[in-house]
């Protein structure tokens, strides 16, 4: 047995836990409630220790099939959507009652790829995660299977959970499956195969290794887990693939024990911001007063509408803008939470008055610190 290695981790982490259908059913045709309660217990314990847990749960279609008595139907998109429509509410009802045992509220978020690719919707979804987590509610995410066709669906919950980790700015993504991790060969046909403890490079040979057969009921296999790991670690999230049936698996991973296959994050939080801001030429500028410039430069604050003197250019909520002081060079670049039209109306205004002026609000800040990089 290799000696356990402990890695120093932050006290409180934002963790996305992805539970595949194979974990939730334990390889049977039905959701295994005892297994779900056990995983709920582990998530709730992390939650009560101060961590922020986001659950990405498969199992809607499995629950729908079981509820309808396993009808023998052709595997068409419409039938899958029907199973998901029936099963998603059942699945959610189960999570609700299991988390309730531990006094934890849950909130359902159903996403499609379109929600992560369109900037406006990306920001909306991000605000929803932030609002839930701020109130210590555990978001339970699944793909919106009932309405997503091939054009807009992510297709598997491994990739979906990686997008959620990026969206929510998670430190850790745990992909729980029916395997202890990634092996040097398929352990079912190669008993000498060894568990790979840590992956620093995802290259062709690793992809070839993971390209093997998919597990029974779920959509993903190791190939989609590698894709997910690659997306997440590039955006600053560490990833662990481990067996959902291992006792206290989540506690052990979060404690930094060497469990499963770990993919250390490639990027720092600052680099994540570059990733969020990448590819968008600033569409305008926010000219701020000296107090706001100081707060941004030296105090690590967000930019509030009160500090904005002038709004230059035309842009939408979610567009990238420069922040400058007078006519000087840009001091920062960030994502605006309000359109230029909105900001014209609320610049110089206290955040508590935004809703009054606009008739709605997207929160108190114009550019959030997490979406802002200082220049120069
Ligand atoms: N969203 C699907 C479901 O809940 C599962 C997709 C997957 O297993 O990756 O049934």
């Amino acid at each position: 047995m290799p000696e356990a290695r402990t890695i120093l981790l932050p006290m409180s982490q934002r963790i996305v836990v992805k539970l595949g259908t194979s974990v939730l059913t334990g390889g049977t045709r039905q959701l295994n409630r005892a297994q779900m309660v056990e995983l709920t217990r582990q998530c709730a314990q992390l939650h009560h220790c101060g961590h922020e847990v986001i659950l990405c749960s498969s199992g809607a279609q499995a629950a729908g099939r079981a509820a309808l008595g396993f009808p023998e139907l052709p595997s068409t998109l419409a039938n899958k959507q029907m199973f998901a429509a029936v099963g998603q509410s059942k699945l959610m009802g189960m999570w609700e009652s299991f988390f309730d045992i531990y006094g934890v509220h849950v909130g359902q978020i159903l996403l499609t790829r379109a929600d992560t690719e369109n900037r406006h919707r990306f920001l909306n979804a991000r605000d929803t995660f932030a609002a839930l987590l701020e109130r210590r509610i555990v978001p339970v995410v699944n793909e919106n299977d009932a309405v997503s066709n091939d054009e807009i669906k992510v297709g598997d919950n491994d990739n979906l959970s990686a997008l959620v980790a990026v969206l929510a700015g998670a430190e850790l993504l745990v992909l729980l499956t029916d395997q202890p991790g990634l092996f040097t060969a398929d352990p079912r046909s190669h008993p000498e195969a060894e568990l790979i403890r840590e992956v620093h490079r995802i290259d062709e040979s690793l992809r070839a290794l993971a390209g093997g057969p998919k597990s029974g009921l779920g959509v993903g296999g190791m190939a989609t887990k590698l894709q997910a790991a690659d997306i997440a670690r590039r955006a600053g999230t560490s990833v662990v693939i481990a067996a959902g049936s291992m006792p206290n698996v989540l506690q052990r991973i979060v404690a930094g024990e060497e469990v499963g296959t770990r993919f250390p994050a490639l990027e720092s939080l600052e680099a994540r911001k570059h990733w969020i801001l990448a590819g968008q030429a600033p569409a305008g500028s926010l000219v701020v007063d000296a107090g706001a410039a100081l707060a941004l430069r030296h105090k690590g604050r967000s930019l509030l509408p009160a500090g904005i003197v002038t709004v230059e250019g035309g842009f939408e909520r979610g567009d990238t803008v420069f922040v400058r002081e007078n006519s000087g060079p840009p001091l920062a670049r960030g994502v605006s939470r309000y359109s230029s039209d909105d900001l014209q109306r609320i610049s110089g205004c206290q955040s508590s008055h935004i809703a009054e002026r606009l008739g709605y609000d997207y929160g108190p800040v114009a550019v959030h610190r997490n979406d802002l990089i200082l220049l120069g």
Side-chain angles (χ1 to χ4, degrees):
M1 265 238 331
E3 206 180 301
R5 192 153 53 91
T6 312
I7 301 161
L8 271 184
L9 293 165
M11 296 295 285
S12 149
Q13 299 185 70
R14 189 168 284 185
I15 307 159
V16 177
V17 178
K18 186 262 170 177
L19 303 173
T21 304
S22 63
V23 172
L24 298 177
T25 59
T28 67
R29 293 209 295 175
Q30 315 232 31
L31 294 179
N32 179 334
R33 285 183 301 158
Q35 171 80 321
M36 289 172 75
V37 171
E38 167 52 19
L39 289 164
T40 306
R41 182 192 66 75
Q42 294 184 37
C43 289
Q45 205 238 356
L46 292 176
H47 172 93
H48 288 309
C49 286
H51 296 290
E52 292 175 329
V53 178
I54 298 173
L55 207 61
C56 185
S57 170
S58 304
Q61 292 175 45
R65 277 176 216 278
L68 297 175
F70 305 102
E72 296 283 337
L73 295 175
S75 173
T76 59
L77 179 64
N79 283 337
K80 286 187 197 161
Q81 290 177 320
M82 177 200 62
F83 286 132
V86 173
Q88 180 60 35
S89 58
K90 303 224 172 282
L91 181 68
M92 198 58 203
M94 289 163 95
W95 287 125
E96 221 165 63
S97 63
F98 299 153
F99 273 92
D100 186 56
I101 301 172
Y102 300 97
V104 180
H105 287 290
V106 294
Q108 172 178 269
I109 301 188
L110 299 178
L111 295 172
T112 63
R113 184 175 287 283
D115 296 305
T116 62
E117 284 181 352
N118 172 295
R119 226 173 166 74
H120 195 87
R121 289 166 70 168
F122 178 93
L123 285 183
N124 275 342
R126 212 158 57 127
D127 288 352
T128 311
F129 277 106
L132 289 169
L133 293 170
E134 205 173 295
R135 280 159 194 79
R136 305 287 296 145
I137 297 165
V138 171
V140 179
V141 188
N142 197 358
E143 177 125 43
N144 197 351
D145 290 317
V147 298
S148 58
N149 59 18
D150 286 343
E151 273 159 43
I152 59 163
K153 75 177 175 191
V154 179
D156 66 88
N157 278 14
D158 293 322
N159 277 287
L160 179 71
S161 65
L163 295 175
V164 167
V166 175
L167 200 68
E171 276 92 16
L172 179 65
L173 165 64
V174 181
L175 301 168
L176 291 183
T177 180
D178 54 0
Q179 300 287 321
L182 190 63
F183 283 84
T184 50
D186 187 340
R188 287 168 292 195
S189 47
H190 296 78
E192 76 290 356
E194 281 177 27
L195 181 66
I196 302 173
R197 288 284 175 198
E198 201 157 283
V199 174
H200 291 278
R201 248 184 88 214
I202 298 181
D203 54 16
E204 278 318 307
S205 61
L206 201 67
R207 285 199 189 93
L209 208 60
K214 294 174 174 181
S215 66
L217 285 167
V219 178
M222 276 299 165
T224 51
K225 287 184 180 53
L226 270 196
Q227 286 166 4
D230 209 21
I231 294 172
R233 71 188 190 126
R234 281 177 195 281
T237 305
S238 293
V239 182
V240 176
I241 301 176
S245 57
M246 175 187 262
N248 279 322
V249 63
L250 293 178
Q251 272 63 33
R252 295 175 65 178
I253 291 170
V254 172
E257 270 186 49
E258 217 175 39
V259 168
T261 304
R262 184 178 282 268
F263 302 74
L266 288 184
E267 306 277 12
S268 64
L269 185 65
E270 279 305 305
R272 185 212 306 271
K273 293 183 195 171
H274 285 271
W275 193 87
I276 290 172
L277 294 167
Q280 279 226 332
S285 287
L286 304 176
V287 181
V288 301
D289 63 25
L294 186 80
L296 291 180
R297 262 205 202 97
H298 301 296
K299 297 186 185 161
R301 300 268 170 78
S302 296
L303 175 63
L304 302 177
I308 301 174
V309 183
T310 318
V311 180
E312 295 174 353
F315 50 88
E316 293 302 319
R317 165 171 151 79
D319 281 346
T320 303
V321 292
F322 281 130
V323 180
R324 56 174 94 239
E325 193 185 351
N326 301 321
S327 55
L331 71 97
R333 189 182 150 133
V335 176
S336 178
R337 298 226 163 166
Y338 288 88
S339 68
S340 50
D341 286 350
D342 284 350
L343 286 176
Q344 299 279 10
R345 294 166 63 196
I346 58 172
S347 59
C349 148
Q350 290 302 314
S351 296
S352 53
H353 295 151
I354 297 175
E356 213 173 283
R357 293 238 181 140
L358 298 180
Y360 51 85
D361 79 274
Y362 296 120
V365 307
V367 180
H368 195 277
R369 186 73 209 173
N370 290 346
D371 303 332
L372 179 132
I373 37 176
L374 290 173
L375 304 168

